[in-house]
């Protein structure tokens, strides 16, 4: 079964074709087909997992490939490779996809293009599964672009709204810039090793197939792709804007799966990164900067989804830091737990939006816990998991990352701790401002009601996962479920020893959580805004800078409008006036002018012509006589 | 037997007369007649060469026949044009017919 | 078998000429007869083209389905096989034959709605198509040039009579530039035949002469620019591309389709046939220059397309950009790069034909092509938008569509030989995303401009035509081994191509 894991991707792929072609005409526009498909791959995942575990660690990674094409020496194979990292990704994707599909049935009810939404969702799931199953970088790139396409289509789902179109465009083009790097990196790998297969590339690199500098450059290009997809600084601008899409999409694509593709890629290539000089340091610095930067920006956001988006960017930074420290298992573990609680938070935000009839500005919410108890309770669990409360999922994975960074020097550890405090702080702010206190807008509050079970059930399930997912780190928990051990032993890239609780670190993490949460509570408890307003008035410049996201978006806008488009105008002008009007039409004008001058030779009088002929004949005769003698 | 050079000299004289006529005359009919002189000079050359240099084959004679035939056609056409010219302009002076230029 | 298949080529070549001849005798008022007749001919040609492509054996000798009918020999300097109608296909021309069949059929269906002198249009159209087939099939230098010219000349009338927007200017410029290029080719042909000294226009004979040095390397270096500039004009080689935006802007829809879809490929095909195969030493010497021009073209076209306001100008510049890729692929002289160039010819052909089809469908109703006039068209023309998005994504090089397959091969070849230029080419692909998405955003999405509430979606004929082209794009994008397998032997057998 595990060697046929490609079926996982094929099922939603077929579902996409069927739904895109006939979805509109199916009963209920085919949403049941989507849920059925998601359930099927969820079940299939367990079949694959069982088989995978049965086969045992010696046969990992399980590979299956076919010859695709060959031109001379250029051979291409396509296939899948299933190893523990893939299994982790499969678990995340199938679970969250199922929850999101169910949730969407409630969320998207009555929305335009209902069938199309579900069809594209299946396309996304198919390509995402293909991405994690691919055994070679080319297939990975294909899937990489296809998830980008589905993301583009889903962000722009409400395309009547100009802002949604702009956001979709921004997402596609920004990630595309990173993808250029990825493609260059992939081809550079092929250039040096003659293969696209990831395992073979790793082998070749270990045998020294690529020189040091060259390897570093190649890895930087690969990293560029990862940074684009995972919204790392300076490519982060697209992710907050991507919140224009339907909220379940944000949960699936922009929190749990697609945006972690970059993390997955780096984790997958980690053995190569380790050989590439300072490449991992770069990864870590990028991660740290992103984690801090977006943690700060999240303070000043007022839209629930925007806060969550910056929080996602920040958490992705955490994962990059773990990878940069060389701990694939820590990064993957945070990816795993983060997928559940962040999907929960986004779906919770979706429930709020539906419950309040499309209000997502925190300034208009507040006190929702009375009206929406289930949503509030599950959202609380998700928030606490994100903030890192012992012993919820987020706590254990953040703990792992802090543990990983310990060996990397105090500065990294210190900065990451600050980022962790900020996480707790903005999470507290988010929860307090949305669910606690008194309603700030009675109009909104009077219409608010709890959402239907089809939406609360996924919330409850994900809340459950947010509690238990962290326990996978323990050896005994994993063994009891049939794994070879805890999470880090399963993903044994670097960390084959069993996990032991480091109580000192636990204490520190708890302190970080408490500081952040109570900082947030002190500022915002009970609908109080005065303290934060004082803060904003005290340093208005700083506050504005944070609110404007450190001017990143403005800078890019300026660059595109003035530099890129300006250059384009210049080229167009050059093409019209220099190449066409001067060069091409100019030569035509020259020809015409020459004719205008020479036409006067044409007198129209026959004797003149006859004379010319006679003179010509005589001249030619004389010349030939002269040359002949 | 008359040496070939005599024919060639006659032909040369005829041709030169023709050239002079074409260049010096203004009357279209006279120009045409001069052209005929040149053509006949050429035909004479063909026949002479054929008879003296390669008497077994009739190549030159055939060419001469072609020239005569084409010349007849040409004169027919040219005279028609001259008549049209005379009808329209009441003159056969070729200098008058100079509208066919830019 | 080979001989019998040769007759398929003869049929594909003669059928359009025959169709043009028959149409001469159809009264001009019988428009429906002309349309149905042309559609049938187009369908048969599509069938024949598909057959040629499928019957081409990937593992056999590169040149297949050969057939030779002697015409003029043993006269003057012409020896045995002086000029003969020598037909045959290799992997590249088999692929381009398929392209011609697809685009010509789609074009016939689109020409259906033409009312003004419909019969005359089809006559010229079929002469053009015959010229295209003839160029791809000819293994004789004389007939190669003959058919090449036969394909170019009807364009003048087709654009001049049925065009729009400054049609006289566009038609005149296009024809003069192309014919000017042909002069160079003509000179080159005589130089080559004279140098080879075999008294024959037979291409395989001449290829052998080019490869064994009978045509001296110095001479090859002199002749090569004549061919490449001559063919390059038609291929949109920068800076001789300016006929492309204007020509496309003024041409009627189905002519734009065939022109951008197939005719531009004749130029690139000529560079392979006359440049790489005939003059390997010249090619090796000049290819870096061609690479630079191709890269400039790829970037220049993409950047210029960013700020255009007219649909057709965007497509015209993007054609310049994509043909730049073809030239980059050829200039690598690397087996993967040259395969990529051939794939790109097919890919760009179907994609750009689709784009022009769609622009035509919109222009016929809206009578404007200014981007900023539109908005939210997806509301009223969903099929049209889906098809356009597919074409645009192929243009951008999205995996799963033909553009990616082709560009990927070109990039691989370029990185093996000239990495910096490979990087620049990839950059151009990123810019392509920007101009495509900009157009999507402005025209397709956003609130619907009430002025366009009455726009109608694609008609059934247009839908069939578009579906055929989309299918071709998907076929190459999703499962490209049938295409690359057929190219492999041919490409590796090209002289001077490295692995």
């Amino acid at each position: 079964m595990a060697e046929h894991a490609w079926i996982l991707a094929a099922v939603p792929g077929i579902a996409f074709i069927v739904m895109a072609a006939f979805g509109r005409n199916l009963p209920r526009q085919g949403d049941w087909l989507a849920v059925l498909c998601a359930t099927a791959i969820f079940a299939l995942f367990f079949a694959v997992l069982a088989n995978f575990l049965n086969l045992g660690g010696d046969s990992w990674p399980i590979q299956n490939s076919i010859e695709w094409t060959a031109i001379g020496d250029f051979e291409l194979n396509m296939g899948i490779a299933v190893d523990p990292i893939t299994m982790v990704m499969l678990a995340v994707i199938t679970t969250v996809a199922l929850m999101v599909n169910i949730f969407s049935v409630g969320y998207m009810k009555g929305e335009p293009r209902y069938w199309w939404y579900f069809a594209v969702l299946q396309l996304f799931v198919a390509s995402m599964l293909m991405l994690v199953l691919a055994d070679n970088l080319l297939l990975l790139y294909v899937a990489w672009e296809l998830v980008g396409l589905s993301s583009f289509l889903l962000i722009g789902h409400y395309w009547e709204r100009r802002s949604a179109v702009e956001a979709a465009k921004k997402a596609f083009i920004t990630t595309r810039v990173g993808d250029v790097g990825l493609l260059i990196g992939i081809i550079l790998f092929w250039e040096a090793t003659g293969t696209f297969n990831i395992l073979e590339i790793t082998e070749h690199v270990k045998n020294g197939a690529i020189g040091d500098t060259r390897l570093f450059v190649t890895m930087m290009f690969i990293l560029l792709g990862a940074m684009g997809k995972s919204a790392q600084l300076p490519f982060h601008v697209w992710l907050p804007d991507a919140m224009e899409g339907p909220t379940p999409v944000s949960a699936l694509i922009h929190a749990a799966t697609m945006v972690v593709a970059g993390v997955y890629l780096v984790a997958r290539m980690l053995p190569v990164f380790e050989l590439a000089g300072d490449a991992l340091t770069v990864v870590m610095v990028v991660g740290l900067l992103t984690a801090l930067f977006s943690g700060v920006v999240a303070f000043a956001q007022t839209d629930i989804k925007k806060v969550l988006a910056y929080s996602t960017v920040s958490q992705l930074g955490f994962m990059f830091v773990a990878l940069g420290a060389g701990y694939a298992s820590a990064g993957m573990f945070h990816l795993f737990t983060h997928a559940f609680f962040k999907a929960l938070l986004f779906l919770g935000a979706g429930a709020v939006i539906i419950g309040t009839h499309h209000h997502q500005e925190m300034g208009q919410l507040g006190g929702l816990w009375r009206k929406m108890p289930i949503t509030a309770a599950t959202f609380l669990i998700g928030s606490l998991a994100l903030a890192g409360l012992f012993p919820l999922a987020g706590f254990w994975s953040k703990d792992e990352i802090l543990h990983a960074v310990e060996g990397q020097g105090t500065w990294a550890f210190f900065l990451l701790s600050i980022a962790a405090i900020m996480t707790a702080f903005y999470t507290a702010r988010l929860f307090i401002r949305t669910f606690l206190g008194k309603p700030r807008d009675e109009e909104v509050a009077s219409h608010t009601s709890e959402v239907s079970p089809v939406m609360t059930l996924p919330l409850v399930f994900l809340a459950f996962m947010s509690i238990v997912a962290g326990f996978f780190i323990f050896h005994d928990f994993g063994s009891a479920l049939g794994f070879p051990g805890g999470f880090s032993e399963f993903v044994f890239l670097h960390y084959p020893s069993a996990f032991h609780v480091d109580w000192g670190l636990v204490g520190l993490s708890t302190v970080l959580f408490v500081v952040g949460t109570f900082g947030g509570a002190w500022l915002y408890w009970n609908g109080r805004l005065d303290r934060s307003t004082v803060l904003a008035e005290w340093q208005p410049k700083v506050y504005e800078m944070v609110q404007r996201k450190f001017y990143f978006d403005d800078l890019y806008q300026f660059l595109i409008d003035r530099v890129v488009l300006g250059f384009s105008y210049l080229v167009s002008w050059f093409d019209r006036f220099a190449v066409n009007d001067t060069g091409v039409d100019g030569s035509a004008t020259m020809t015409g002018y020459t004719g205008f001058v020479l036409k006067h030779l044409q007198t129209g009088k026959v004797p003149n012509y006859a004379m010319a002929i006679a003179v010509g004949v005589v001249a030619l005769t004389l010349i030939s006589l002269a040359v002949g003698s | 037997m008359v040496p070939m050079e005599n024919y060639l000299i006659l032909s040369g004289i005829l041709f030169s007369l023709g050239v002079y006529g074409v260049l010096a005359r203004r009357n279209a009919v006279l120009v045409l007649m001069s052209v005929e002189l040149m053509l006949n000079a050429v035909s004479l050359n063909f026949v002479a060469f054929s008879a003296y240099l390669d008497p077994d084959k009739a190549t030159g004679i055939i060419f001469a026949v072609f020239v005569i035939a084409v010349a007849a056609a040409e004169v027919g056409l040219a005279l028609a044009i001259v008549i049209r010219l005379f009808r329209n302009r009441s003159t056969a002076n070729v200098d008058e017919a100079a509208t066919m230029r830019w | 078998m080979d001989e019998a298949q040769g007759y398929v080529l003869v049929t594909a070549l003669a059928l359009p000429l025959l169709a043009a001849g028959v149409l001469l005798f159809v009264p001009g008022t019988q428009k429906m007869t002309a349309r149905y007749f042309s559609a049938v001919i187009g369908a048969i040609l599509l069938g024949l083209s598909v057959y040629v492509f499928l019957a081409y054996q990937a593992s056999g000798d590169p040149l297949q389905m050969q057939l030779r009918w002697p015409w003029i020999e043993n006269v003057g300097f012409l020896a045995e096989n002086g000029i003969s109608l020598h037909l045959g296909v290799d992997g590249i021309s088999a692929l381009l034959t398929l392209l011609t069949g697809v685009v010509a059929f789609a074009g016939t269906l689109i020409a259906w709605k033409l009312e003004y002198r419909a019969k005359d249009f089809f006559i010229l159209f079929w002469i053009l198509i015959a010229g295209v087939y003839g160029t791809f099939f000819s293994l004789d230098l004389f007939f190669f040039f003959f058919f090449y010219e036969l394909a170019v000349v009807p364009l003048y009338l087709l654009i001049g009579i049925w065009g729009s927007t400054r049609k006289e200017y566009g038609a005149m410029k296009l024809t003069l530039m192309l014919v000017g290029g042909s002069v160079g080719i003509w000179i080159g042909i005589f130089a080559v035949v004279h140098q080879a000294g075999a008294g024959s226009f037979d291409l395989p004979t001449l290829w052998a002469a080019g490869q064994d040095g009978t045509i001296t390397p110095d001479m090859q270096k002199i002749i090569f620019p004549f061919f490449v500039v001559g063919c390059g004009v038609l291929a949109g080689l920068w800076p001789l591309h300016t006929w492309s935006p204007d020509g496309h802007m003024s041409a009627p829809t189905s002519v734009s389709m065939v022109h951008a879809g197939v005719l531009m490929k004749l130029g690139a095909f000529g560079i392979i046939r006359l440049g790489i195969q005939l003059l390997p030493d010249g090619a090796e010497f000049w290819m870096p220059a061609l690479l630079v021009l191709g890269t400039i073209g790829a970037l220049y076209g993409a950047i210029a397309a960013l700020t255009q306001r007219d649909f057709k100008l965007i497509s015209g510049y993007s054609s310049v950009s994509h043909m730049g890729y073809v030239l980059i692929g050829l200039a690598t002289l690397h087996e993967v790069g040259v395969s990529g160039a051939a794939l790109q010819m097919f890919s760009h052909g179907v994609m750009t034909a689709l784009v022009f089809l769609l622009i035509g469908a919109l222009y016929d109703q809206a009578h404007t092509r200014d981007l900023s006039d539109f908005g939210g068209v997806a509301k009223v023309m969903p099929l049209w938008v889906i098809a356009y998005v597919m074409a645009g994504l192929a243009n951008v090089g999205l995996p799963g569509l033909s553009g990616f397959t082709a560009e990927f091969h070109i990039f691989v070849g370029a990185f093996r030989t000239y990495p910096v230029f490979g990087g620049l080419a990839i950059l151009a692909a990123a810019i392509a995303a920007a101009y495509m998405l900009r157009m999507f955003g402005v025209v397709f999405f956003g609130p619907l401009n009430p002025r366009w509430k009455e726009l109608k979606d694609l008609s059934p004929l247009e839908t069939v035509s578009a579906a055929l082209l989309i299918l071709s794009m998907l076929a190459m994008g999703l499962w490209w081994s049938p295409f690359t397998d057929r190219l492999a032997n041919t490409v590796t057998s090209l002289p001077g191509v490295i692995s």
Side-chain angles (χ1 to χ4, degrees), chain A residues 176-402:
Chain A
R176 180 90 189 168
V177 174
D179 296 350
V180 167
L182 179 61
L183 187 58
I184 293 178
I186 291 172
I187 297 178
L188 284 176
F189 265 133
W190 172 81
E191 168 63 20
T193 64
T195 175
F196 290 107
N197 189 297
I198 297 170
L199 290 167
E200 287 174 24
I201 287 175
T202 314
E203 281 308 307
H204 280 293
V205 173
K206 277 183 184 157
N207 297 334
I210 313 183
D212 285 345
T213 320
R214 185 128 194 217
L215 184 61
F216 181 75
V217 171
T218 309
M219 292 328 286
M220 284 303 105
F221 277 121
I222 298 273
L223 181 63
L224 217 55
M227 285 160 64
K229 215 46 147 191
S230 287
Q232 297 297 292
L233 225 60
F235 295 111
H236 64 282
V237 289
W238 67 269
L239 187 56
D241 285 26
M243 296 302 125
E244 286 287 339
T247 310
V249 166
S250 311
L252 177 61
I253 301 184
H254 305 122
T257 55
M258 187 187 85
V259 289
V260 299
V263 178
Y264 164 79
L265 179 66
V266 177
R268 163 80 55 224
M269 304 294 288
L270 200 62
V272 186
F273 269 102
E274 283 175 345
L275 297 171
D278 295 328
L280 278 182
T281 315
V282 177
V283 174
M284 185 143 130
V285 169
V286 166
L288 268 177
L289 286 178
T290 311
L292 284 170
F293 164 82
S294 35
V296 172
V297 174
F299 289 163
Q301 297 302 310
T302 52
D303 181 317
I304 327 177
K305 286 183 73 181
K306 286 270 163 80
V307 176
L308 288 174
Y310 277 105
S311 153
T312 306
V313 176
S314 169
Q315 297 304 307
L316 290 167
F318 273 81
M319 296 174 209
F320 266 72
V321 170
L323 296 171
Y327 286 77
S329 63
M332 289 305 292
F333 189 49
H334 195 54
L335 186 161
F336 180 70
T337 58
H338 173 259
F340 295 118
F341 58 71
K342 192 50 73 62
L344 167 62
L345 289 174
F346 267 111
L347 291 185
V352 168
I353 291 169
I354 292 295
T356 60
H357 299 278
H358 298 280
H359 285 94
Q360 54 194 74
E361 280 292 326
M362 287 193 283
Q364 295 172 317
L365 302 173
L368 288 182
W369 66 275
R370 281 174 206 281
K371 305 268 189 176
M372 307 178 72
I374 305 176
T375 308
T378 50
F379 203 94
L380 178 63
I381 293 171
S383 303
L384 292 175
L386 172 61
L389 175 69
F390 179 85
L392 298 180
F395 172 81
W396 297 109
S397 55
K398 202 170 292 175
D399 207 40
E400 276 286 276
I401 293 177
L402 284 173

